[in-house]
Amino acid sequence: CRPMPEPKVVRSTTDAWGDSILPMDPRRLLGVLRRRAWIILAMGAAGAAMAGALGIRAGRSYRATAVIRVRDARQAVTGGLVAAPDVRIGPLVDPMLSLIEVLGSRGVAGTVVDSIPILRLRAEGLRLTELRDVAVTDTARPDTVRMLMQASGVRLATAPDSLIPWGHPVVTPGLRLTIPRNPGTAQALVSVGPREAAIDGLLQSVKVEALPNTDIIDVRYSAPDSALARAVTNRLVLVLRAIDAEMGQAVSRARTDFLKAQLTQTEADLSRSRKALADFRARQRAF
């Protein structure tokens, strides 16, 4: 007879994993990191380069914010003697929402673009805020002006024989600008875009919202240049103030015309009543 084989001992899963897990030696870990240091440094450098490239490609963005408080003009003029009207005029009209719609309208954006013609320009090789006395005519067509920078001035690619000194106006069909100093580049490109495209770009960069439970409206505008962001935001507020003043004057003129008409009618009725009274006294011989 053959001998019976000895039974095999099967360990539990917990025991098997317990035997395979060993405490990590810090010196061993440091040794692995030291041997792979060049891989870690290369990965870190590659990540930093990618982040830098993305940051340069995206460019900086500056945001300017203006705060507008909505107040009733009649109450401000009378020093509070006139009661403030209800916030809602009628069941469907909200003055705050109406003001927000006015700020986000194409009419206001068009006025801002016309007053800040830099918004219609795109430049390479110089900053737009370095330009002075920028003017774009209404008949200007989309075009690109190539300028060659020299030590003493600017030369246009279309007229390389003529040199325009720094600080003197550069005039092309539909565009006029002045470069006060050398930007430090070999050449620059200035492109004039359509007015409607500039309006669309402005509306996309402007954010208008009302703060909850207040009469405050925030107007925010983002631009790649801080000076341009401030200029556009301030211009939006000034345009809104002009529109509000014009609307207030129109309402005042309408009220004045109505009161004048009522006064004229009242004076006519009073004159007829006096004449009727005089005729009655004459007939009745009463004095």
Side-chain angles (χ1 to χ4, degrees):
C1 61
R2 291 186 298 180
M4 296 294 292
E6 295 182 0
K8 295 182 179 181
V9 178
V10 180
R11 296 185 178 183
S12 64
T13 307
T14 305
D15 294 340
W17 282 105
D19 292 342
S20 62
I21 297 178
L22 298 176
M24 178 62 69
D25 188 2
R27 292 177 297 179
R28 182 180 179 184
L29 179 60
L30 292 176
V32 172
L33 294 177
R34 188 179 298 109
R35 288 193 299 270
R36 301 293 187 270
W38 65 273
I39 299 178
I40 299 174
L41 293 177
M43 294 178 62
M50 292 178 60
L54 292 176
I56 294 174
R57 184 176 180 180
R60 296 183 179 180
S61 179
Y62 299 88
R63 184 176 67 182
T65 304
V67 179
I68 300 176
R69 182 180 180 185
V70 181
R71 299 185 61 186
D72 182 40
R74 294 179 302 168
Q75 187 181 12
V77 172
T78 59
L81 297 178
V82 178
D86 191 4
V87 175
R88 293 189 175 273
I89 304 174
L92 299 177
V93 178
D94 189 342
M96 296 285 286
L97 295 180
S98 300
L99 187 59
I100 292 175
E101 289 297 325
V102 171
L103 278 170
S105 64
R106 296 188 67 87
V108 173
T111 304
V112 174
V113 169
D114 294 338
S115 58
I116 306 179
I118 291 181
L119 295 175
R120 294 185 58 179
L121 303 183
R122 294 293 181 270
E124 297 181 7
L126 56 82
R127 298 173 57 186
L128 288 176
T129 52
E130 295 178 353
L131 304 178
R132 297 291 181 268
D133 303 330
V134 179
V136 180
T137 62
D138 297 335
T139 59
R141 297 180 178 180
D143 190 12
T144 300
V145 180
R146 181 183 178 186
M147 296 178 289
L148 305 177
M149 306 302 175
Q150 304 292 329
S152 57
V154 183
R155 294 183 186 273
L156 298 179
T158 56
D161 296 335
S162 61
L163 178 65
I164 304 174
W166 301 115
H168 286 68
V170 178
V171 181
T172 62
L175 176 63
R176 177 189 176 96
L177 56 88
T178 301
I179 304 177
R181 63 185 63 87
N182 191 344
T185 57
Q187 65 178 358
L189 300 177
V190 177
S191 301
V192 181
R195 181 176 181 270
E196 297 300 323
I199 293 176
D200 293 336
L202 177 61
L203 293 177
Q204 291 177 0
S205 302
V206 173
K207 305 298 180 183
V208 183
E209 63 179 3
L211 299 184
N213 302 323
T214 65
D215 56 353
I216 301 298
I217 295 178
D218 275 353
V219 182
R220 296 188 295 272
Y221 176 75
S222 301
D225 188 87
S226 59
L228 181 61
R230 290 194 302 269
V232 172
T233 305
N234 293 333
R235 181 60 60 181
L236 280 169
V237 176
L238 293 178
V239 170
L240 177 64
R241 182 184 299 177
I243 292 176
D244 184 65
E246 184 177 355
M247 293 175 61
Q249 292 175 1
V251 172
S252 298
R253 286 193 297 268
R255 291 176 178 174
T256 301
D257 295 340
F258 174 77
L259 292 177
K260 286 182 179 180
Q262 292 294 319
L263 181 60
T264 302
Q265 182 65 31
T266 302
E267 289 180 350
D269 294 341
L270 180 59
S271 179
R272 286 193 296 269
S273 299
R274 287 176 177 175
K275 186 176 183 305
L277 179 60
D279 294 342
F280 174 76
R281 287 179 175 178
R283 290 194 302 270
Q284 299 296 326
R285 297 178 179 276
F287 298 95

